[in-house]
Amino acid sequence: MYLVRPATQDDVDALFDLLTLTGGTITTLSGDREQLARRVSRSLAAFDDPPEKPAGETYVFVMEHRDGEAHEIVGTSAVQSKTGGFEPFYGYRIEEEHYASAALGVDKLIKSLHLAEDHSGPAEVGGLFLHPDHRGGGRGRMLSLARFLFMALRPSAFDAHVVAELRGRLDANGESPFWNAVGRHFFEVPFDVADRLSFAEKQIIADLMPDHPIYIEMLPPDAGAVIGVEHIESTAARRVLEGEGFTFINLVDIFDGGPTLESKLSDIRAVRESRQIAIRVAEEPEEPDLLLVKEQPRPVFVEARSAGDDAVIPADIAGATRWQSDDQGLVVRLRSN
């Protein structure tokens, strides 16, 4: 049995151990155990005292696997209510410029990168990681959609626009061709160090990144080829996001060139199609086709099966969550088609 819920202080050690498997690529939860504990504490405060409007809160979720009496943290994801207004949201915007010469018979469009700052939002989903031993079976989708169903519960607590930054493509040696061609020359530190420091202190981006255009055709071919291309391990996550209505907005990460996808909060399928429904308990319902959330007082997300006007959950989930038949929850279909 799998469920998704807010991370608590009891999860910090297991969550820290899980995050070591990412190699530090989840910057929203990077750092030592004490830093992680502080982030979880702030997350719980936001869950327990919902703000009336977004103020930069980060909500941290964990996926828990239960097998009898054994409980194991096997995944995590997060959503930040607002990124701009407190510290800028940075990226490289891809733009096209027209160059023509009648004398030479040249008429072409040249793509260039322009440093962009957003001070007015948006909300950001990220921090998704699932232990390799527990991938498959739709669990990554469940972990991703839980964030959107939570946003449907509290839409006023999030910015009206939502973005997702995906990790950029690496080469066969595990290095970022884009970083090696661009950022390395300005930061003079390894990629992972710059990425981690920039999350904690945005000013270093304003201090060191060039504010003049970078012409893509002047970059090494391997660097140009990965601009806007996600890491191979992020391809499934991109498909889920696109199925929810996110689109690539010609904005890429300033460090690894990974794509940024965006959607209006109200246009996200899981938000738009979510609805209240009655819960019914059965011994062995059929294959789940819904994601269900109920607040008690913190939200817990489980898979369920649609049956007429009800969402049916198995008895073991009902026992773990203490839900009963005729309780009410919010649901959305697990898949967009």
Side-chain angles (χ1 to χ4, degrees):
M1 176 181 66
Y2 293 85
L3 58 83
V4 177
R5 57 170 175 78
T8 70
Q9 289 299 319
D10 291 339
D11 302 319
V12 168
D13 286 343
L15 183 56
F16 182 82
D17 292 342
L18 177 70
L19 291 169
T20 60
L21 300 178
T22 71
T25 57
I26 299 182
T27 52
T28 52
L29 296 176
S30 63
D32 57 28
R33 277 184 171 83
E34 290 185 2
Q35 290 175 308
L36 180 60
R38 287 194 293 271
R39 291 191 180 99
V40 169
S41 179
R42 291 194 294 268
S43 169
L44 274 180
F47 276 114
D48 292 341
D49 186 15
E52 293 183 1
K53 59 182 181 179
E57 299 82 8
T58 297
Y59 300 88
V60 181
F61 300 88
V62 292
M63 173 172 275
E64 181 180 313
H65 177 228
R66 295 190 177 190
D67 185 4
E69 296 298 318
H71 296 187
E72 182 184 8
I73 301 301
V74 300
T76 185
S77 63
V79 56
Q80 188 172 358
S81 67
K82 186 178 180 68
T83 57
F86 317 97
E87 291 181 328
F89 178 82
Y90 285 99
Y92 273 133
R93 188 168 301 282
I94 303 173
E95 297 183 7
E96 287 187 337
E97 299 177 62
H98 182 224
Y99 290 84
S101 169
L104 294 178
V106 173
D107 191 321
K108 62 189 304 184
L109 294 174
I110 299 293
K111 291 184 177 181
S112 56
L113 303 174
H114 299 254
L115 188 64
E117 299 180 33
D118 189 343
H119 293 266
S120 61
E124 181 177 5
V125 293
L128 192 150
F129 180 75
L130 186 59
H131 193 290
D133 292 346
H134 293 266
R135 293 174 185 171
R139 288 182 279 274
R141 177 180 296 273
M142 177 183 177
L143 189 54
S144 180
L145 293 186
R147 300 170 299 184
F148 303 133
L149 198 54
F150 177 67
M151 297 168 86
L153 278 175
R154 304 179 183 174
S156 64
F158 295 90
D159 192 83
H161 285 82
V162 187
V163 299
E165 287 188 295
L166 298 179
R167 291 170 58 195
R169 185 64 60 96
L170 306 181
D171 62 19
N173 297 319
E175 296 186 358
S176 168
F178 184 78
W179 169 259
N180 288 338
V182 181
R184 176 177 60 86
H185 300 290
F186 298 94
F187 283 76
E188 296 186 350
V189 295
F191 167 79
D192 57 337
V193 174
D195 197 33
R196 185 173 64 252
L197 290 176
S198 69
F199 178 77
E201 179 52 70
K202 299 291 187 184
Q203 185 60 38
I204 67 173
I205 298 175
D207 291 342
L208 295 177
M209 293 304 277
D211 56 7
H212 55 269
I214 296 174
Y215 291 94
I216 294 177
E217 290 199 9
M218 296 178 68
L219 297 177
D222 62 340
V226 300
I227 293 174
V229 180
E230 75 278 1
H231 191 285
I232 190 169
E233 292 186 357
S234 296
T235 298
R238 182 170 187 167
R239 285 199 297 266
V240 171
L241 290 168
E242 290 175 339
E244 292 299 306
F246 282 75
T247 57
F248 178 49
I249 55 172
N250 285 331
L251 190 72
V252 300
D253 185 80
I254 63 172
F255 294 120
D256 62 18
T260 298
L261 279 63
E262 182 186 57
S263 174
K264 289 183 179 179
L265 175 60
S266 58
D267 288 343
I268 298 173
R269 182 201 64 95
V271 174
R272 187 180 69 250
E273 295 184 1
S274 62
R275 67 189 192 281
Q276 289 287 335
I277 197 170
I279 298 171
R280 179 158 55 87
V281 179
E283 286 300 322
E284 292 293 336
E286 298 178 15
E287 191 73 15
D289 62 346
L290 300 174
L291 181 64
L292 166 70
V293 61
K294 181 176 179 293
E295 293 195 89
Q296 50 176 61
R298 295 170 183 161
V300 178
F301 304 79
V302 300
E303 292 179 324
R305 178 69 185 179
S306 57
D309 295 330
D310 297 335
V312 182
I313 59 173
D316 59 344
I317 288 181
T321 59
R322 299 182 181 178
W323 296 351
Q324 300 176 4
S325 290
D326 296 328
D327 284 350
Q328 294 287 314
L330 191 71
V331 296
V332 71
R333 289 179 297 117
L334 281 167
R335 296 187 178 274
S336 57
N337 51 36

